[in-house]
């Protein structure tokens, strides 16, 4: 079975952050992170059971300073919030950045 890739974003073009847990380097292990997941909404369930927990831009400080309980911030996104498109070709860098 061929591997398929998708690009996902908010329908309105706004951007968001993925909720993660950073883990410090220890011994031979490098700095790493884990992406927190939540149940997928009906649209995402067509592709996978879990979805990355998102933090909306306007709520990022609440996430970082713990003003709002995680259970209130990290919920399954509403349906029709995302635009999901299959990437039919691999991205190609067309110029060098200086």
């Amino acid at each position: 079975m061929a591997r398929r890739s998708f690009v996902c974003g908010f329908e309105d073009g706004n951007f968001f952050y993925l909720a993660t847990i950073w883990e410090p380097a220890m011994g031979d292990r490098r700095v790493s992170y884990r992406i927190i997941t939540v149940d997928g909404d009906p649209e995402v369930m067509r592709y996978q059971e879990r979805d990355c927990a998102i933090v909306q831009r306007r709520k990022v400080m609440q996430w970082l300073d713990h003003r709002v309980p995680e259970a209130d911030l990290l919920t399954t996104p509403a349906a029709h919030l995302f635009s999901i498109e299959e990437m039919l070709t691999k991205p190609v860098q067309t110029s060098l950045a200086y």
Side-chain angles (χ1 to χ4, degrees):
M1 179 181 219
R3 184 169 173 89
R4 298 167 63 193
S5 297
F6 299 88
V7 62
C8 175
F10 280 152
E11 283 281 344
D12 65 5
N14 208 339
F15 67 91
F16 54 89
Y17 300 93
L18 297 178
T20 61
I21 298 173
W22 288 93
E23 298 177 339
M26 293 176 59
D28 293 339
R29 193 181 77 197
R30 297 172 21 190
V31 172
S32 63
Y33 66 92
R34 295 174 194 230
I35 297 174
I36 299 170
T37 63
V38 295
D39 291 334
D41 70 47
E43 293 171 322
V44 171
M45 292 293 276
R46 292 185 297 179
Y47 306 100
Q48 60 192 32
E49 291 180 20
R50 305 287 294 170
D51 193 3
C52 298
I54 62 167
V55 179
Q56 294 181 16
R57 194 166 56 165
R58 68 179 184 271
K59 295 183 178 183
V60 73
M61 289 312 297
Q62 295 171 345
W63 167 254
L64 294 174
D65 67 11
H66 306 287
R67 284 187 284 163
V68 177
E70 291 174 2
D72 293 343
L73 284 173
L74 306 180
T75 60
T76 299
H80 309 295
L81 185 65
F82 295 104
S83 168
I84 303 171
E85 298 176 25
E86 185 170 6
M87 294 174 54
L88 299 176
T89 60
K90 291 185 177 185
V92 177
Q93 183 174 347
T94 58
S95 63
L96 297 175
Y98 292 98

